[in-house]
Every structure is written in structure tokens, then in C-alpha cells.
Amino acid sequence: MNERIRIKDIAIRAGVSVGTVDRVLHDRPNVSKPARERVEKALQELDYKPNMYASALAYNRSYTFFLLIPAHDSEAYWEEIEEGAKKAMEARRDFHIDIRFCYYERLNVENFTTQCEYILSMNPDGVVIVPSTLELTRLFTDKLHELEIPFILLDSYMPDLKPLSFFGQDSFASGYFAAKMLMMIASQEKEIMLMKQTKDGKVTSKQQANREVGFRHYMMDHFPEVTIHELDLPLDTTKKRYEQILEKFFTAHPQIHHCITLNSKAHLVGEFLLKTNRRNTQIMGYDMVAKNAECVRQGSISFLIAQHAYQQGYSCIDTLFNAIVLKKKVTPINYMPIELLMKENVEFYRRTQL
């Protein structure tokens, strides 16, 4: 019935002109208070709900959304985020949506700040942010709030920043789950290896830090006797250097057969295990990127936890579209499923499932 209601019908019921109804529907000025009240009453009585798609198309304006994410290599988790975002832009091409990517170096305060200032200078309609530290990110989001620019947090949830929405896994639960799955196959082990990637001795992601809290919480509760050896593979070094570090570690710890990493770089260990023919040792990690998937197929990675990175990228843009263009209410917290992939089901995983 709503589709048959014309602006003319509303104008007749309210006793005003068609132009007045149009101004009220689009929240434009130059409408007297009594006339606005009559139109709003008529809208309520007729149970009129505007076609937001048609209305948005009629405006024929363009929208620019920025994504601020960490700099990354190819075939990384972030590349899938980008692909999902681009797909969402293509799906909304009739609405003239444009997305732009900005990249910052992890733990580089000056670089993060520079990228934030650039985004603000471009006056975006909406922003997707992979946060740095809470304090540093707050400087950016406070300005976005002041300018009434909606933003979405991706990867790490920081409720104090009051984002429009959040997409990512529950990091603590994810780390707890990872430990539980690892120990189903390593329950008889006395020692395991936890591989980290750090920059200047620090883990580069709040999400990874929270995963480790969940991981260690499970281990303390259920396997307190197991020794956890940490191995640091620094960011931005060569494959040869990684192999030297790994060779030294496994030579010193021949009794270790099960490893875990809480990031997407399990293949750094997995490829080394295949190259050195250490078939009795496996690693568990995160994210269905190509190099990880190949190690799963060949048996050096036992499990992968999938985060639906492609879906996260798509959903962030789609949420900005719904909130900004269609003026719809959106879900504030969107936790991604925690899914376990292994050799037997890795081929059935569909990153594009939305």
C-alpha cells in the first residue's frame, strides 16, 4: 500500500502544497511550523515510509569513504579487507560511492598522525579505521566526532571511542578457542612454541595482544604445566633471516612438535618446516591467505582460524552506505564467526560468502 501513496495524496490530506511536502520529506528549510506539523501528521496517518533508495538516487551526489589500515605485503589479511571493500563499492556504483585507502606503519606515531591529518583534510563522508593505540586513535576520532563524520572500527574494538559500528572477532574468545583447539592435538606435550611478530620488541596489533590474553588464560586454567617458549620473528626482515632464526630455535628445542601464532603469518614457520622436512612438527595460525592455505594442504599447518576478512571489508563499506546514504540504523557491534579450517575442509571455505 505504501508504494501507491503519492506526494500529491499527502499534500491533499495535510492541506498544503506538493512543494511543502517535498521540503518536509527532505528536511529542507522554509516550512512553517504549522505546515510541517500537518505534513508529519498526514505521514503518520498514511503510514508513509519513503523509498530511501529512490530518494538517495534522486539526490545524485557522490560519497567518499576512507579506509585507514596498516601497510602490508601482498597476500596478507589486509589485502582481503581491501578486496571486500572494493566489491562493496562496485555493488553500490549507482550511488557514486568512492573508497580510498590510506596506509600507516605500525607503531609509528608520526606516520599514523600524518595519515589522519590527510584524511581530515579531504573532508570524507565516512571513515573505516584499524586503530593504533587507544590514546593516539582517540585524537583522530575526537576530531571526526567534532566534524560529525561517522567512523567504523575494524579489527580492534575500542568502545570508548564511540564508533558507529565495529567489525572483527572477539579477540579474547578467539585466543581462548585457539588454545583449546591446539591442545586437543598437543595434550601430551610438555612444551609448545608461541611465534610472534614484533616491531621494536612490541606486538603490533591490539587484537593479537588480546588474543594472547585469551590463549594464556586457557593454558593457565587447563595446562599450567606446559612450558610456552616464545619465538620472535621481527617484522620487515628477509626470508633468509627468518630461516636462520627458526633453524636455531628448532635445533635448540628438538622436543617441540606443536607451535601456534596469533597472526596471519603461520606460513613463515610452515614453509620452513616443509623445506627442512620436519614432518613431525606443525603450526596453527590465523587467516585463509594463499600461503597459509598451501601449508595446510601440505600438512605443515594443522589448523587455521578464519576471520572472514573479505566479508569484514565488504560489511564496513556497506554499513557506512546504509547509515550515511540510506539513513538507516546499523548494528553497533558485529563479531565475526570463529571458524576452524584444516586440510579436510579448507577447499570448501568461501571467503566471499556474505
Side-chain angles (χ1 to χ4, degrees):
M1 179 178 180
N2 176 55
E3 293 180 356
R4 296 194 294 270
I5 298 173
R6 301 169 300 172
I7 291 181
K8 183 178 179 180
D9 300 324
I10 302 167
I12 292 172
R13 191 177 188 93
V16 299
S17 69
V18 170
T20 297
V21 175
D22 184 73
R23 285 193 291 273
V24 171
L25 288 175
H26 294 93
D27 196 26
R28 292 172 181 152
N30 302 321
V31 180
S32 68
K33 183 177 180 182
R36 184 178 294 277
E37 289 175 348
R38 290 200 301 273
V39 172
E40 290 174 347
K41 182 180 179 182
L43 292 172
Q44 185 175 8
E45 291 172 350
L46 293 169
D47 191 28
Y48 177 79
K49 295 180 175 62
N51 186 328
M52 300 306 296
Y53 273 81
S55 179
L57 283 170
Y59 271 113
N60 197 33
R61 63 157 292 188
S62 60
Y63 302 85
T64 302
F65 302 149
F66 276 80
L67 285 82
L68 179 60
I69 64 177
H72 57 81
D73 298 325
S74 61
E75 295 189 353
Y77 166 76
W78 303 111
E79 191 170 60
E80 298 232 335
I81 294 283
E82 291 183 42
E83 292 180 14
K86 291 175 183 177
K87 185 65 176 179
M89 179 183 69
E90 292 173 7
R92 306 297 186 183
R93 66 178 63 185
D94 290 344
F95 296 87
H96 310 291
I97 304 296
D98 182 33
I99 60 172
R100 302 180 187 180
F101 298 97
C102 287
Y103 306 96
Y104 68 90
E105 298 176 15
R106 290 283 199 182
L107 303 180
N108 186 325
V109 173
E110 182 178 351
N111 182 254
F112 183 83
T113 302
T114 298
Q115 296 302 320
C116 292
E117 291 174 349
Y118 169 72
I119 292 172
L120 290 169
S121 73
M122 299 302 293
N123 192 29
D125 294 287
V127 184
V128 178
I129 308 168
V130 176
S132 180
T133 64
L134 175 61
E135 296 75 15
L136 190 58
T137 307
R138 192 196 301 273
L139 296 175
F140 182 37
T141 58
D142 281 351
K143 293 178 182 178
L144 292 174
H145 280 302
E146 289 175 11
L147 297 169
E148 298 183 347
I149 298 173
F151 66 90
I152 290 175
L153 293 183
L154 176 64
D155 189 57
S156 298
Y157 185 39
M158 298 179 178
D160 290 350
L161 302 182
K162 299 179 181 179
L164 171 69
S165 189
F166 162 75
F167 286 88
Q169 283 188 343
D170 181 323
S171 301
F172 179 91
S174 179
Y176 193 93
F177 174 82
K180 188 173 184 178
M181 292 301 100
L182 175 67
M183 297 314 293
M184 288 182 68
I185 59 173
S187 59
Q188 302 304 311
E189 301 294 320
K190 296 181 179 179
E191 302 175 54
I192 60 173
M193 181 261 273
L194 171 61
M195 186 272 275
K196 297 183 182 183
Q197 275 207 299
T198 62
K199 183 175 181 180
D200 300 326
K202 297 179 181 179
V203 173
T204 59
S205 165
K206 180 68 173 177
Q207 184 190 57
Q208 289 181 47
N210 287 340
R211 285 176 186 164
E212 186 174 345
V213 173
F215 172 81
R216 290 188 180 276
H217 195 281
Y218 179 87
M219 294 300 295
M220 183 61 67
D221 285 349
H222 300 279
F223 293 91
E225 73 283 1
V226 173
T227 300
I228 302 172
H229 295 279
E230 291 189 13
L231 176 64
D232 179 18
L233 294 184
L235 284 170
D236 304 323
T237 191
T238 63
K239 184 175 181 179
K240 182 177 181 181
R241 178 57 182 152
Y242 286 142
E243 291 177 351
Q244 291 173 343
I245 295 172
L246 288 165
E247 182 63 46
K248 181 179 180 179
F249 177 86
F250 284 110
T251 298
H253 302 90
Q255 72 282 9
I256 289 183
H257 304 294
H258 293 281
C259 318
I260 188 169
T261 184
L262 303 175
N263 60 43
S264 63
K265 297 299 182 71
H267 61 84
L268 294 177
V269 179
E271 290 171 345
F272 171 81
L273 296 174
L274 292 171
K275 183 177 181 179
T276 56
N277 200 31
R278 287 179 164 86
R279 294 288 176 175
N280 64 344
T281 305
Q282 295 177 320
I283 184 169
M284 175 179 176
Y286 278 75
D287 299 323
M288 178 60 173
V289 296
K291 290 181 180 180
N292 283 347
E294 184 58 30
C295 287
V296 171
R297 296 185 188 100
Q298 296 195 41
S300 61
I301 293 181
S302 52
F303 299 120
L304 286 174
I305 294 179
Q307 296 189 79
H308 291 277
Y310 183 96
Q311 180 181 342
Q312 289 184 57
Y314 187 102
S315 297
C316 283
I317 298 303
D318 197 51
T319 297
L320 285 177
F321 168 79
N322 281 297
I324 296 169
V325 181
L326 300 186
K327 313 298 182 185
K328 289 184 177 181
K329 291 185 178 180
V330 298
T331 305
I333 301 176
N334 303 272
Y335 284 125
M336 293 291 105
I338 301 173
E339 295 186 349
L340 196 67
L341 303 178
M342 59 192 80
K343 187 174 183 178
E344 289 73 18
N345 71 343
V346 70
E347 300 300 340
F348 306 114
Y349 176 76
R350 295 292 181 268
R351 69 172 188 172
T352 57
Q353 183 177 353
L354 298 170

